[in-house]
């Protein structure tokens, strides 16, 4: 298995692990959003979905553990690559201008780290329910009420929206970038590949944001 | 001086085959016991070093650049000739041979040129096998273009970067041998002298350009592939670092220097824009396939080119040479441009330029086709001049480009010093008095891949296999001389910079020994150059230290050699009392065309160094033509 | 026109360097950038100061020697142009110009603006060639190659090895350089027999030299004087992953089941 070690330790190998774990996380995000959007179908739809999920005990835990592992790998390899990158240029330029790099690409670490800290809060908030006694008092199956209750607080809603902007930004670069890293590239399809990040990233972020916005506007109550 | 060319006997077409059979071979197991020094890593040097290492010799390769990939062969644009006859247009080894001899104005050695034409086809095969991405047709076969001085399409090319691609092919082969441990590469290392021990070339003295350390290296044979000396003119299309030092130091150690006055002035370069100009940029000769050269018919015509009506344009090459037209050989095209400018019909700010016009081709073929063929050249022109050649004709002027002269070598590419071999532009062998376009790449690779590896084995087979050392007293002595000279350069601390001397020398050379020469001018140059040299050694200012990277010191050493070498060139030009190829003497012409004197000058002039302050001796190697008839070169 | 130059001066690899300010009082718009520096150097020598060292040779944009970071952009403001081909008409009177060497751990400074790029040679040594000895090649036309492949290979092969891609990358990554050679040979039939081992070995050497990793910002493509496409990096990634995952295990002998 020395080849595997060599691959993982190589620049291209490590990058592709970041890309693949990123892709898996995007898969989760898409699934998560689809579930969340059931809120627009009324309390029964989303609560029913939540109950169904919880009935899959072992599978759910498996997915959760997998997701944590994938996130861990994504973070671990990003940090490793980042340290190598820092080391590759020990002396900075007195003057450096960017000519091409997008804002999203230059803020990947920041958007990633902020998203991560938000996810931790998000888990504490909705999954472990340790942030407020009111939510803790609700049953595990009343997701609908939990959402309405949470997003009625402007602070919670605005933080959520800000976090989704960051997620969108992260995916803006990350989604297109992973094609490049994995070598999925063709001059005919490159225009599409390069727009996947901005388009899909924005759509996902907008999808998530639609919930707190709808609640604040009173469309959902 | 023994100038036996050692041409094998027998019919011309069989000489090389016969010679290869007669050559003594070195037992494969013994090859690693021989060390060969290769100086220079251009097409000739890199191909030779790689091939010798593949055969099993231990090779030490030196270049002054930071990587062998940067040798100036990389800048060749247009292409490489080979007698493949893929176009079925009547090409053959015989025709390439004849075109080359005729293009060289009958001043090259028949047997060498025939061999060059013969091995040309193998070069293309070898390069394709290495992965050189030559231009191709839609059917997948190789494409060809035509070039000056030939009526067949035999030039293979890779866009406008043929030299780059061929050099990268040779460089990759070289790097492969470096990885295999068969070549030890010394980049940023400049050869400063040759060590001759017991009458044989035994090693070299070099300066490590980063640490400034003077080092000695010993070998069973020394190969020089150090390029040409065009930079004696200061302004040329050569790279800034190109220099005569390696070959000139070898000359001072006993190697005969042949035909130094044979220099090629390339007709299509971008004109000079100011006195800060540091080099001249070539626009590939291939442009003459679709561009038409013209100057205004009347003198002092300052109108914009598009305001000059057709009737008042003089397409002088088409007028004077109807059958070759814009594809006339380089020397003729250059001289015609000079004539037009001398008559006051030159264009541009300084009146030193003529037009190369693509208007008609763009009309006929469309801008896209022209862009496809020459896009990168047009882009380069626009970057340098700020003018758009799709809208206005290019302004071009001749510039020093290539030097046909070089160290004299016999059929085996061995100089007059046993064990010193000279390849590529550094030798004098194949181009006579004028080189045809796309033949320099051919010669460099022919020497390195296909000729030297055979002929060197013949020499080495007769050598002792004992390991070589740098312990001999001769190594110490030469090293001391080199160190002394560097110390002296650093200690003068005069008032003038190295470049100012170089520019002044260049101006003398260009004015008196450039596109046309005459007795009075050359005689004048022969007094001016020694005076300038004298001043150099009194008044040059070289700052910094010898123990660091010191680019001024590097330049100073090279210019010091140019200051001696320029004199040799003028002496050669003065004593060759005829006009031939790139050497045009005002006194010898008929109706503006070169007047050759075959009776008295059908020879290579070979100069022998006689010591400091002494005039060199001129020897001759008669050129015997057994297979072709000497004729007046006509491109009309 | 007049310019104010800020140039990195450093005596040698061991000493400390710093930015020094010089005036360039008389610059013509027709000068190339390096000719402007030549003139500055002549002035320095006249004053008894050591001239600024910088790498340069062919001065026609193909040898890849010249390598200056000009106002934070590798090779300066004009796209697809090397430093030597950059002309002063790209600047205007009174401009301040920062001139720095390429900065990367893998490109140690030799002096002033001169850096050591031998890491690139070592990457080529790791496999950037076709293993054919001289002689014995078949006729060149026996192997037809589609014009598209040949053109694409040429697009990659045009790389001049100047190192601007490394200089411009925020991670000092050499992936554009390495991928250009892997792609040039990988696109041609001659390069197929060694395609997998070439990708593995060249990437490995690239990593060993201490270059950073690509984060797909494509600054390299933007400054490359030959405008080499980042598509080749994707190609290299694919070749490398393919060779790693599907290629033969280098730890095992070929042909046997152990």
């Amino acid at each position: 298995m020395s080849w595997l070690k060599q691959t993982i330790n190589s620049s291209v190998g490590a990058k592709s692990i970041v890309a693949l774990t990123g892709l898996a996380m995007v898969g989760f995000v898409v699934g998560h959003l689809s579930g969340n959007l059931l809120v627009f179908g009324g309390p029964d739809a989303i609560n029913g979905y939540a109950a169904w999920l919880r009935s899959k005990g072992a599978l759910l835990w498996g997915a959760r553990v997998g997701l944590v592992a994938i996130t861990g790998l994504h973070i671990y390899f990003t940090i490793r690559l980042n340290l190598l990158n820092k080391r590759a240029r020990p002396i900075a330029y007195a003057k450096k201008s960017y000519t091409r790099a997008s804002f999203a690409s230059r803020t990947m670490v920041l958007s990633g780290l902020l998203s991560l800290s938000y996810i931790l809060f998000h888990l504490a908030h909705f999954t472990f329910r340790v942030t407020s006694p009111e939510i803790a008092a609700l049953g595990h199956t009343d997701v609908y009420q939990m959402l309405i209750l949470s997003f009625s607080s402007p602070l919670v809603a605005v933080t959520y929206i800000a976090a989704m902007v960051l997620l969108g930004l992260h995916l803006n670069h990350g989604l297109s970038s992973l094609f490049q890293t994995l070598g999925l590239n063709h001059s005919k399809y490159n225009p599409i590949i390069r727009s996947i990040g901005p388009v899909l990233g924005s759509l996902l972020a907008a999808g998530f944001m639609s919930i707190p916005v709808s609640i604040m506007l009173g469309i959902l109550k | 001086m023994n100038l036996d060319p050692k041409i094998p006997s027998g019919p011309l077409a069989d000489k090389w085959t016969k010679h290869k059979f007669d050559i003594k071979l070195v037992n494969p197991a013994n090859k690693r016991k021989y060390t060969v020094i290769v100086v220079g890593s251009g097409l000739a040097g890199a191909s030779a070093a790689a091939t010798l290492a593949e055969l099993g010799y231990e090779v030490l390769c030196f270049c002054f650049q930071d990587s062998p990939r940067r040798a100036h062969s990389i800048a060749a644009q247009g292409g490489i000739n080979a007698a493949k006859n893929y176009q079925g247009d009547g090409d053959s080894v015989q025709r390439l041979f004849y075109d080359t001899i005729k293009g060289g104005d009958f001043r090259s050695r028949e047997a060498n040129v025939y061999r060059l034409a013969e091995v040309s086809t193998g070069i293309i095969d070898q390069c394709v096998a290495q992965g050189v991405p030559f231009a191709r047709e839609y059917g997948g076969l190789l494409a060809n273009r035509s070039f000056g001085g030939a009526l067949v399409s035999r030039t293979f090319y890779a866009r406008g970067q043929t030299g780059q691609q061929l050099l990268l092919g040779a460089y990759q082969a070289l790097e492969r041998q470096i990885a295999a441990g068969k070549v030890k590469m010394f980049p940023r290392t400049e050869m400063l002298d040759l060590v001759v021990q017991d009458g044989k070339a035994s090693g070299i003295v070099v300066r490590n350009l980063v640490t400034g350390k003077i080092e000695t290296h010993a070998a069973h044979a020394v190969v020089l592939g150090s390029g040409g000396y065009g930079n004696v003119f200061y302004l040329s299309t050569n790279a800034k670092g190109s220099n005569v030092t390696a070959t000139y130091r070898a000359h001072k150690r006993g190697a005969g220097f042949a035909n130094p006055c044979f220099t090629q002035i390339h007709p299509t370069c971008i004109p000079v824009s100011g006195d800060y100009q540091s080099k001249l940029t070539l626009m590939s000769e291939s442009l003459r396939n679709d561009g038409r050269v013209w100057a205004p018919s009347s003198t002092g015509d300052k109108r914009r080119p598009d305001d000059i009506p057709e009737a008042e344009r003089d397409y002088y090459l088409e007028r004077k040479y109807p059958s070759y037209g814009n594809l006339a050989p380089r020397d003729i095209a250059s001289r015609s441009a000079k004539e037009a400018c001398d008559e006051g019909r030159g264009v541009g700010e300084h009146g030193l330029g003529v037009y190369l016009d693509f208007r008609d081709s763009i009309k006929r073929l469309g801008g896209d086709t022209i862009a496809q063929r020459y896009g990168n050249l047009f882009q380069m022109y626009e970057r340098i001049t700020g003018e758009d050649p799709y809208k206005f004709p290019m302004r071009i002027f001749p510039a020093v480009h290539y030097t046909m002269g070089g160290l004299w070598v016999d059929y085996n590419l061995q100089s007059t010093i046993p064990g010193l071999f000279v390849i590529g532009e550094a030798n004098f062998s194949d181009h006579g008095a004028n080189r045809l376009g796309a033949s320099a790449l051919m010669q460099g690779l022919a020497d390195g891949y296909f000729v030297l590896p055979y002929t060197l084995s013949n020499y080495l087979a007769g050598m002792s296999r004992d390991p070589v050392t740098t312990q001999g007293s001769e190594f110490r002595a030469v090293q001391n001389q080199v160190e002394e000279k560097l110390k002296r350069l650093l200690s003068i601390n005069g008032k003038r910079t190295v470049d100012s001397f170089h520019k002044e020398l260049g101006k003398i050379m260009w004015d008196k020994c450039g596109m046309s020469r005459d007795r009075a001018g050359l005689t004048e140059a022969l007094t001016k150059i020694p005076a300038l040299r004298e001043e150099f050694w009194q008044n040059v200012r070289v700052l910094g230290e010898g123990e660091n990277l010191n680019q001024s010191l590097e330049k100073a050493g090279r210019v010091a050699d140019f200051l001696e070498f320029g004199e040799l060139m003028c002496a050669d030009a003065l004593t060759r009392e005829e006009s031939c190829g790139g050497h045009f003497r005002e006194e010898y012409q008929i109706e503006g065309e070169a007047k050759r004197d075959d009776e008295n000058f059908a020879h290579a002039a070979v100069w022998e160094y006689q010591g400091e302050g002494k005039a060199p001796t001129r020897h001759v190697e008669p050129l015997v033509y057994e297979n072709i008839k000497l004729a007046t070169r006509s491109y009309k | 026109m007049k310019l104010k130059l800020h140039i990195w001066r450093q005596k040698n690899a061991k000493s400390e360097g710093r930015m020094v300010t010089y005036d360039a009082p008389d610059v013509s718009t027709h000068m190339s950038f390096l000719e402007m520096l030549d003139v500055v150097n002549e002035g320095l020598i006249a004053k008894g100061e050591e001239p600024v060292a910088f790498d340069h040779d062919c001065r026609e944009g193909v040898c890849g020697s010249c390598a200056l970071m000009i106002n934070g952009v590798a090779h300066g403001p004009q796209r697809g142009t090397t430093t030597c081909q950059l002309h002063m008409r790209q600047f205007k009177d009174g401009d301040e110009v920062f001139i720095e060497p390429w900065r990367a751990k893998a490109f140690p400074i030799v002096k002033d603006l001169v850096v050591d790029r031998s890491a690139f040679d070592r990457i080529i040594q790791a496999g950037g060639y076709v293993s054919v000895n001289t002689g014995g090649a078949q006729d060149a036309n026996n192997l037809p190659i589609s014009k598209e492949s040949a053109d694409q290979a040429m697009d990659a092969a045009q790389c001049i090895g100047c190192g601007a891609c490394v200089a411009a990358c925020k991670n000092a990554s050499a992936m554009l350089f390495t991928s250009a050679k892997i792609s040039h040979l990988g696109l041609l039939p001659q390069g197929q027999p060694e395609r997998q081992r070439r990708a593995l070995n060249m990437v490995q050497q690239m990593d060993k030299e201490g270059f950073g990793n690509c984060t797909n910002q494509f600054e390299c493509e933007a400054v490359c004087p030959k405008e080499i496409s980042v598509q080749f990096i994707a190609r290299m990634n694919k070749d490398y992953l393919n060779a790693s995952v599907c290629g033969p295990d280098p730890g095992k002998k070929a042909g046997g089941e152990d």
Side-chain angles (χ1 to χ4, degrees), chain C residues 186-221:
Chain C
L187 279 158
L188 295 172
Q190 296 91 329
Q192 297 314 307
E194 294 168 286
R195 183 168 169 182
Q196 293 196 337
R197 56 185 302 143
R198 178 181 305 119
L200 287 175
N201 293 340
M202 287 179 74
V203 167
Q204 208 179 345
Q205 186 64 34
M206 174 183 82
D207 291 347
K208 210 170 115 190
E209 296 290 346
F211 292 105
N213 307 281
C214 179
T215 41
N216 304 329
Q217 294 188 319
F218 307 153
E219 284 286 313
C220 50
E221 184 185 87

Side-chain angles (χ1 to χ4, degrees), chain C residues 140-188:
Chain C
N141 259 353
N142 281 355
L143 187 66
I145 299 172
S146 80
K147 182 166 161 43
E148 290 76 12
S149 298
D151 282 349
Q152 229 189 326
M154 182 64 195
D155 287 341
Q158 287 187 89
C159 168
I160 58 174
C162 64
C165 44
V166 175
C169 176
K170 80 173 171 66
N171 311 320
S173 165
M175 287 201 179
L176 191 63
F177 168 81
T178 310
S179 70
K181 188 49 66 192
I182 289 177
S183 300
H184 157 212
L185 298 172
L187 279 158
L188 295 172

Side-chain angles (χ1 to χ4, degrees), chain B residues 271-292:
Chain B
V272 175
S273 68
D275 56 6
Y276 46 78
Q277 189 97 20
S278 62
K279 81 153 266 158
L280 297 171
T281 303
L282 179 88
M283 291 280 102
S284 167
E285 177 163 312
S286 60
L287 290 168
R288 288 200 274 147
N289 274 310
D290 289 306
R292 298 177 69 195

Side-chain angles (χ1 to χ4, degrees), chain A residues 98 101-110 173, chain C residues 170 217 219:
Chain A
Y98 283 100
S102 65
F103 177 75
S105 75
R106 279 149 52 189
T107 48
M108 283 304 273
V109 173
L110 191 67
H173 177 70
Chain C
K170 80 173 171 66
Q217 294 188 319
E219 284 286 313

Side-chain angles (χ1 to χ4, degrees), chain B residues 196-234:
Chain B
V196 181
Q197 211 167 240
D198 306 322
K200 291 189 177 110
S202 309
I204 58 174
V205 177
V206 299
R207 178 166 181 267
N208 177 324
L209 299 182
V210 176
T211 64
K213 229 178 134 227
I214 305 297
E215 293 158 1
T216 51
H217 296 275
H220 292 90
V222 176
V223 180
L224 298 186
S226 53
Y229 48 83
N231 271 347
V232 69
F233 292 91
Y234 184 73

Side-chain angles (χ1 to χ4, degrees), chain A residues 1-3 6-13 15-16 80-82 84-102 105-107 173 176-187 190 194, chain C residues 19 69 71-73 98 100-106 166-172 175 200 203-204 206-207 210-219 221-223 230-231 233-238 240-241 244-245 249-250:
Chain A
M1 291 300 269
S2 65
W3 68 269
Q6 187 187 316
T7 309
I8 290 170
N9 281 327
S10 74
S11 53
V12 177
K15 273 158 43 65
S16 48
R80 227 189 69 182
L81 286 170
N82 224 277
L84 285 173
N85 292 345
K86 290 269 173 311
R87 225 176 293 157
R89 173 162 298 132
I91 303 175
Y93 289 106
K95 182 166 177 161
K96 174 81 178 88
S97 326
Y98 283 100
T99 49
R100 170 90 178 262
S102 65
S105 75
R106 279 149 52 189
T107 48
H173 177 70
S176 293
S177 192
L178 70 87
F179 284 86
Q180 171 82 2
T181 300
L182 296 175
L184 303 170
N185 184 304
H186 193 291
S187 55
N190 279 344
R194 296 218 170 145
Chain C
M19 297 297 286
M69 200 72 174
N71 282 340
V73 179
F98 284 78
E100 297 177 72
W102 290 168
R103 292 205 183 279
K105 183 174 156 241
V166 175
C169 176
K170 80 173 171 66
N171 311 320
M175 287 201 179
L200 287 175
V203 167
Q204 208 179 345
M206 174 183 82
D207 291 347
F211 292 105
N213 307 281
C214 179
T215 41
N216 304 329
Q217 294 188 319
F218 307 153
E219 284 286 313
E221 184 185 87
V223 300
V230 292
Q231 277 186 55
I233 298 183
R235 221 189 137 78
M236 170 179 81
N237 292 343
K238 187 166 60 188
Y240 180 84
L241 293 172
S244 295
V245 180
D249 187 339

